[in-house]
Amino acid sequence: MSYFDAASSVALHPVARQALLASLDEGWADPARLYREGRRARMLLDAAREAAAEGVGCRADELVFTSSGTRAVHAGIAGALAGRHRIGRHLIVSAVEHSSVLHAADTHEAGGGSVTQVGVDRRGRVAPESYAAALRPDTALACLQSANHEVGTEQPVAEVAALCRESGVPLLVDAAQSLGWGPVGGDWSLLTASAHKWGGPSGVGLLVVRKGVRFAAQGPADERESGRAAGFENLPAIVAAAASLRAVRAEAEQEALRLRELTERIRQRVPRMVPDVEVVGDPERRLPGIVTFSCLYVDGETLLHELDRAGFSVSSGSSCTSSTLTPSHVLKAMGVLSEGNVRVSLPAGTAAEDVERFLEVLPGAVAGVREKLGAPAPAATVRQDVLVVDALGKRCPIPVIELAKVIGDVPVGALVRVLSDDTAARLDIPAWCDMREQEYVGEEPADRGTAYLVRRLS
C-alpha cells in the first residue's frame, strides 16, 4: 500500500519513536516539582522547548506546547484579539486558510467582531496588496497560512508581514504544512504548527508569541506553559515532537529536491495521460510533496475508492466526497474545478517506483469511473432557441457530464440552460467552461434550483 496523504498526517518518525519510548521512563513526573524526578522532567521539557524554538527560529520563552495544532490556532487568535481589543475587533484572514482558522473567525464574528476575508488567484495565492487594502485602523489581527494544505501553494508571508508591521498589526502564521521543511521567513508576530504533520506524535501543537505582542490568554488561568496552554504537559510526546522536528530538518533540503522531481513528474504526465484534467495550485511556489488535480466527469469519492483498491491512499477536496456535498472552500476560492479532485501528498522516503505505478493505475481508474457515470442520458428540451438540460436532483459530476453531452447539439452562439440544485454546479460549470473554451454567461433563478447559462463558442 502506498500512502500518499502526508498533508493530512505522516507516520511517526523513527527518531520520534525512540525519543517517545525513552521519555516514558524519564519524563513521567511533574516538571513543576522541585524533587529529583520533577527536575529531570523539567530538564527534558526545557531541552524540547529549546530544540523546537531553534526549528521555528524564535526564543525559547516565546514558544509554548499545546494539545494540538488546532488548539494552538484557536488560542493564538483568541489571545491576540483579546490583547488588542482596545484597538478594535477587526480580523483579517485569507479565503484559503485551514478550517481551524476560519472556524475561529466565525466565532469571533458571532461574538460581535468583524472579519475581512481576502481572496486568492486561480493558483491559490494571495496578493500582498490585498492584505494592505484590508487593513483598517481597528484591525486587531491578520492571519495567513505559510502554505496551503490542499494545493500546496506557498503564500507571500514575508511581504504581508512587512505590510502588517508598518500598520502596527500582528500577523499570525499557520505553519502546519511547511514547518517541517524550514522556518517561516518574515517579521511575523505569532505562529502555530502541529507535530503530526512532520512525523511527531499527534496531540502536540506549537504556539509562538513574539515578545512585544499584546496577548491575553483566554479561559481560566493556569500556571502551565506561561498561562497559554492549560493542563499537564504530555512530556513524552513533546520530547518526541521536538526531536523529530530536528531530525526531519536535517533531511529536508535533500528530500525536498527529490520530492519536487516526483511531484513535477505527476504534474506533467497526468494531463497528458488523462484527458480533461486540470492541475491546480502554483506550479513553482509550492511545497515539495503536494500536487493536486481535478478530473472532469468524475465522482471524487468513487475515484478515491478505486485508487484505494489499487493500493494508493490519496485525499480529495472534491464536493463529491463530502457528506454535505459542499465544494472545498479552497477550490471554491480559487475558482477551479472541484469535481474528481485528487490530492497527492508524498511523504519523505516515497519511492519513485510507487509514483510510476500510480501513474500507470490512474488513467484506468479515471476511465472506469467515467464509464460508470456516463450511463445516465441527459434530459434535454429546446425552449425558445435555448437547450434546457434538467439535472435537478443529480449530484456532482452529473450536471457537468450532461452539459458536456449536449453542448454540441446547439449551434455556435446558442445557449444551454442547465437546471441544477447541486451547490457544486456553481463552481464546476464555470470551471468546465474555462477548460473547454465555452462562455459561462451566468446564473438565474429557476422554479427549482438554479439555471446556469452556457454559450457555445466552438
Side-chain angles (χ1 to χ4, degrees):
M1 192 73 180
S2 296
Y3 180 76
F4 286 177
D5 194 23
S8 294
S9 187
V10 296
L12 200 64
H13 193 282
V15 169
R17 184 180 300 276
Q18 294 170 5
L20 181 65
L21 293 175
S23 299
L24 289 174
D25 292 331
E26 297 294 327
W28 51 268
D30 186 348
R33 302 306 175 195
L34 298 179
Y35 43 70
R36 181 182 304 170
E37 294 86 354
R39 293 197 305 271
R40 185 183 300 129
R42 185 71 198 187
M43 289 176 62
L44 289 172
L45 180 59
D46 289 345
R49 198 184 313 278
E50 289 281 355
E54 180 183 359
V56 171
C58 67
R59 292 171 41 159
D61 59 357
E62 294 174 329
L63 184 149
V64 299
F65 295 103
T66 66
S67 57
S68 68
T70 294
R71 182 60 191 151
V73 166
H74 292 171
I77 291 177
L81 289 171
R84 287 172 50 82
H85 72 279
R86 293 185 180 180
I87 301 296
R89 303 198 63 196
H90 179 231
L91 171 66
I92 302 173
V93 299
S94 85
V96 295
E97 294 297 313
H98 188 268
S99 58
S100 60
V101 174
L102 298 182
H103 290 161
D106 290 342
T107 298
H108 176 62
E109 195 168 30
S114 60
V115 177
T116 295
Q117 197 171 98
V118 176
V120 297
D121 61 20
R122 284 186 63 85
R123 296 182 174 185
R125 199 166 191 265
V126 304
E129 54 267 25
S130 297
Y131 265 77
L135 291 168
R136 305 186 330 206
D138 64 335
T139 301
L141 177 68
C143 300
L144 179 63
Q145 60 189 191
S146 55
N148 186 258
H149 50 292
E150 286 196 27
V151 299
T153 297
E154 294 178 330
Q155 300 293 357
V157 170
E159 295 93 322
V160 172
L163 292 168
C164 290
R165 180 69 65 180
E166 289 176 7
S167 299
V169 174
L171 177 69
L172 182 147
V173 178
D174 171 17
Q177 286 298 332
S178 72
L179 192 61
W181 296 109
V184 178
D187 196 11
W188 46 265
S189 301
L190 301 97
L191 181 142
T192 63
S194 185
H196 72 97
K197 300 288 188 179
W198 66 67
S202 58
V204 179
L206 305 182
L207 170 61
V208 179
V209 182
R210 294 284 200 192
K211 291 296 181 183
V213 175
R214 293 181 181 177
F215 190 91
Q218 299 302 284
D222 193 285
E223 69 276 10
R224 306 278 176 175
E225 293 300 294
S226 303
R228 293 173 181 172
F232 196 93
E233 296 92 345
N234 184 352
L235 188 52
I238 287 171
V239 171
S244 58
L245 180 59
R246 176 173 287 175
V248 298
R249 280 291 187 78
E251 308 160 353
E253 184 175 357
Q254 183 175 355
E255 188 62 18
L257 290 173
R258 202 179 67 83
L259 290 186
R260 285 190 190 280
E261 192 280 325
L262 293 178
T263 52
E264 187 62 26
R265 193 180 302 184
I266 297 173
R267 289 182 65 89
Q268 295 298 323
R269 288 171 56 182
V270 166
R272 295 201 299 264
M273 301 167 64
V274 182
D276 297 317
V277 164
E278 181 179 17
V279 180
V280 300
D282 196 298
E284 297 178 359
R285 296 172 177 171
R286 69 175 193 273
L287 291 174
I290 298 180
V291 57
T292 306
F293 54 89
S294 300
C295 308
L296 275 172
Y297 323 131
V298 168
D299 177 340
E301 184 172 5
T302 303
L303 179 57
L304 263 58
H305 285 320
E306 289 293 328
L307 292 172
D308 183 51
R309 278 192 285 269
F312 295 97
S313 302
V314 298
S315 186
S316 174
S318 173
S319 58
C320 309
T321 64
S322 169
S323 59
T324 61
L325 296 173
T326 302
S328 151
H329 72 276
V330 172
L331 300 178
K332 185 176 181 180
M334 293 167 63
V336 298
L337 186 70
S338 75
E339 68 184 48
N341 179 261
V342 175
R343 180 187 69 183
V344 176
S345 48
L346 306 177
T350 297
E353 294 79 11
D354 290 340
V355 172
E356 286 298 324
R357 190 167 66 86
F358 174 78
L359 291 170
E360 292 174 3
V361 166
L362 181 67
V366 173
V369 174
R370 283 174 172 167
E371 184 177 1
K372 292 177 183 177
L373 294 175
T381 58
V382 177
R383 300 177 187 171
Q384 299 178 346
D385 299 325
V386 176
L387 185 65
V388 179
V389 175
D390 186 354
L392 293 168
K394 299 175 181 177
R395 299 304 181 200
C396 161
I398 300 301
V400 177
I401 290 176
E402 297 194 348
L403 168 61
K405 286 183 175 181
V406 303
I407 191 70
D409 296 340
V410 301
V412 173
L415 290 174
V416 177
R417 190 171 188 260
V418 183
L419 300 176
S420 177
D421 51 6
D422 180 13
T423 57
R426 178 169 285 111
L427 177 63
D428 290 345
I429 289 177
W432 178 88
C433 292
D434 185 69
M435 291 178 67
R436 308 303 292 173
E437 297 183 344
Q438 307 296 342
E439 180 186 357
Y440 177 65
V441 177
E443 63 178 72
E444 60 185 26
D447 292 338
R448 288 180 56 204
T450 302
Y452 300 94
L453 299 178
V454 176
R455 189 184 311 279
R456 181 184 176 189
L457 299 181
S458 60

